[in-house]
Amino acid sequence: MKTLIHTDKEQIESIIRQSDVCFVGMADTDGTPYVLPMNFGYKDGVIYLHSAQDGRSISILERNPKVCITFSIDHALVFQHPEVACSYRMRSKSVIAWGKVAYEEDFDKKVEALDIIMKQYSDKTFRYSDPAVRNVKIWTGSAVRNLALLIRNLIKSINDMKKLLLLFVLCLCFPVVDKACTSIIITGKATPDGRPLMWKHRDTGAPYNHISYFDEGGYRFLGLVNSDDPEGAVWTGSNETGFSIMNTASYNLKDDDIKEMDQEGNLMRKALRVCKTVQDFEHFLDTLPRPMRVEANFGVIDAYGGAAYYETNNERYYKKDANDPNLAPEGYLIYTNFSFEGRTDEGKGYVRYENAKKIFKEMRDGGFTPQRIFQQASRSFYNSLLDIDLMDKEQSPNNRTGWFVEQDFIPRLESTASIVIQGVRSGMNPELTTMWTALGYPPTSVAIPLWVKMGKEQSALVTYDASYETALLDWYSVQLQKNVYSIHRGNGQKYLHWQLLWNDDQSGYIQQLRAVENRIFDLFDAHKTEWEQNGLDTKEIQRLYKEVDKLVNKAFLGLQKS
């Protein structure tokens, strides 16, 4: 689950007050975990628990007094699509506290603690017999007070020395996002028209995403967001100045024991609001409070020729300049899910990295364009370790059953979008920065061009549609993806039905949708010279969007019937 940290005292106490029980986790010295649901009381930043004088929990706590206490409310089953099992989850609000248990032995204080516990469940006044008080074990003291002190110190650094008597960690539960991705930054030196390109092929546990337009103070921007978190994190985006950003998760750069992480999407959203240049982004990273709660390779380009990756962890970053001929002699850098400054041979995505190296090396001679990146990288089924390409007729699974094991290809079951941002040459109008976007499973999707200048008047195919609880293009794509990954028993989701994607009859999903995508590129490329000279014609773009909508709707409805 993704964890978002909140420090609002009223929210935290509200959740505690509404809880019926708390769950107390502990671990024996051999690591064996033990969790108990318990009644509790709460007052002035202290949690009060009670139990018998002995038992398994007391024995464990005598050896290891550390505990984790959780409160949880508002449980609700939600899903993005009733037929997609992995889109089901429980939404909830919870508070988590860590610390060490101490016991209260003073008779009067034990009575006070019992009153606090009973106040959680009743407004009545109770009397306790002397034996009952003497025989009860009251848990309190250092466990909660130490935690409250630690978090009071944190609050002082965050909220300008505000004094709070408690703080716990408030957790709002969302799906894990951005498990892995494949990406490239290509400088203008390596493209036919001198415009830089930035590609992110997104792999994530969040099955649905769409494009949102943001105008929240600062620079306006477009961002790729999860459809169940439209006002939250941004996973790729471009702003009105031509500054664009993306990320790939890194798994070998973290060098601390910080647990609350996954703030990459929130960091990118903030950067899009305030950054105009690569130098602005560096200043942005320099001034963020530590820990940054990220482990990622951030890729950025701007309208002035800047192009770089930043390998970033909680405390520092390492800049990898795509314009450095020693670092990027071919004018581009590729990243998957490891960092070059990270621990050797750790991380993920090494096979995909080698896949991309070969794909882009071969693509270079023909010229890097958004269209070629989508068709030769986003939909490539080449595996460098096996040295096999499913599109090669001699190697095709169609020579046998038409099925193949999916392992370490660039497009995978978890792939939910592919985006190519085409930047501008230095001196060119930044409004021409184009965010080509294929939502859903890229082999069963098509790319649509987007511009920040269009504001909320983006293509209806990529913005949120309440009828589908995601973008229509995303929904279309996923319906076809279900046919490709149609085996659900056992390890069936590891197998893809290749014959549906690509076949000798030219009736595969990729083959039929390629013709549609080529038409989309032709429609917009026809205006490229005019727009570069005079600026974007928003009315003409709206007209073209309507034409594209008809073209795409017809194509997908036809494929669903076939």
Side-chain angles (χ1 to χ4, degrees), residues 473-536:
L473 179 59
D474 195 306
W475 187 85
Y476 275 150
S477 174
V478 170
Q479 303 319 299
L480 298 183
Q481 182 192 32
K482 291 176 185 177
N483 298 334
V484 176
Y485 296 89
S486 59
I487 302 176
H488 297 278
R489 62 183 183 273
N491 291 319
Q493 291 286 280
K494 291 289 185 182
Y495 294 84
L496 62 89
H497 196 175
W498 174 248
Q499 195 167 34
L500 290 179
L501 289 173
W502 191 271
N503 57 54
D504 293 340
D505 298 332
Q506 300 295 307
S507 61
Y509 295 152
I510 294 175
Q511 293 155 310
Q512 293 194 59
L513 289 171
R514 176 178 288 183
V516 177
E517 186 173 78
N518 287 341
R519 176 59 179 156
I520 294 171
F521 273 98
D522 289 343
L523 284 170
F524 288 92
D525 283 350
H527 298 272
K528 183 183 297 184
T529 302
E530 174 193 348
W531 292 345
E532 286 188 7
Q533 294 175 350
N534 304 318
L536 294 175

Side-chain angles (χ1 to χ4, degrees), residues 39-111:
N39 300 115
F40 70 95
Y42 169 80
K43 183 179 181 181
D44 296 334
V46 179
I47 299 171
Y48 297 86
L49 305 167
H50 75 290
S51 70
Q53 288 284 350
D54 51 31
R56 182 175 180 182
S57 60
I58 302 301
S59 298
I60 292 174
L61 292 172
E62 287 175 350
R63 294 186 289 271
N64 178 14
K66 295 180 180 179
V67 295
C68 176
I69 303 175
T70 300
F71 306 82
S72 187
I73 64 169
D74 293 347
H75 306 130
L77 181 65
V78 295
F79 56 84
Q80 291 177 288
H81 194 282
E83 295 180 5
V84 181
C86 64
S87 74
Y88 280 74
R89 69 188 188 283
M90 291 299 296
R91 177 171 289 165
S92 64
K93 295 178 181 178
S94 58
V95 170
I96 303 176
W98 292 269
K100 292 183 179 180
V101 164
Y103 302 110
E104 184 62 72
E105 301 297 342
D106 180 85
F107 185 96
D108 292 334
K109 291 183 178 179
K110 289 173 76 173
V111 170

Side-chain angles (χ1 to χ4, degrees), residues 198-201 360 363 369-380 391 417-421 435-439 442-443 445-449 510 514 517 521:
M198 188 169 81
W199 169 63
K200 174 176 175 176
H201 185 99
F360 283 96
M363 193 188 304
T369 66
Q371 191 170 4
R372 297 193 75 198
I373 292 174
F374 281 113
Q375 297 181 0
Q376 297 180 30
S378 300
R379 302 180 190 115
S380 168
M391 289 184 178
S418 195
I419 292 177
V420 178
I421 297 178
M435 187 168 165
W436 288 92
T437 303
L439 294 179
S445 187
V446 295
I448 309 291
I510 294 175
R514 176 178 288 183
E517 186 173 78
F521 273 98

Side-chain angles (χ1 to χ4, degrees), residues 23 46 83 133 155 182 199 233 240 332 342 349 355 357 367 384 390 464 480 488 506 542:
F23 295 85
V46 179
E83 295 180 5
V133 174
I155 283 292
T182 310
W199 169 63
E240 62 185 318
Y332 60 82
N355 298 351
K357 279 179 62 177
S384 57
L390 301 192
Y464 187 80
L480 298 183
H488 297 278
Q506 300 295 307
Q542 287 177 347

Side-chain angles (χ1 to χ4, degrees), residues 178 183 185 198 200 234-236 243-250 253 262-269 271 278 281 284-285 288 292-301 307-314 316-321 333 335-336 338-339:
D178 268 353
S183 72
I185 290 178
M198 188 169 81
K200 174 176 175 176
V234 169
W235 298 104
T236 300
F243 175 86
S244 305
I245 188 169
M246 64 180 178
N247 80 305
T248 69
S250 176
L253 198 59
D262 300 323
Q263 293 300 302
E264 291 84 357
N266 292 322
L267 182 152
M268 289 190 284
R269 178 172 175 172
V278 169
F281 183 66
F284 173 75
L285 290 179
L288 283 178
M292 289 186 279
R293 304 189 185 279
V294 299
E295 185 183 16
N297 307 306
F298 293 105
V300 297
I301 61 173
Y309 278 97
Y310 292 81
E311 300 181 4
T312 310
N313 64 15
N314 279 324
R316 63 189 63 85
Y317 62 84
Y318 306 89
K319 181 180 180 179
K320 304 296 180 179
D321 192 340
L333 293 173
Y335 271 78
T336 56
F338 63 93
S339 299

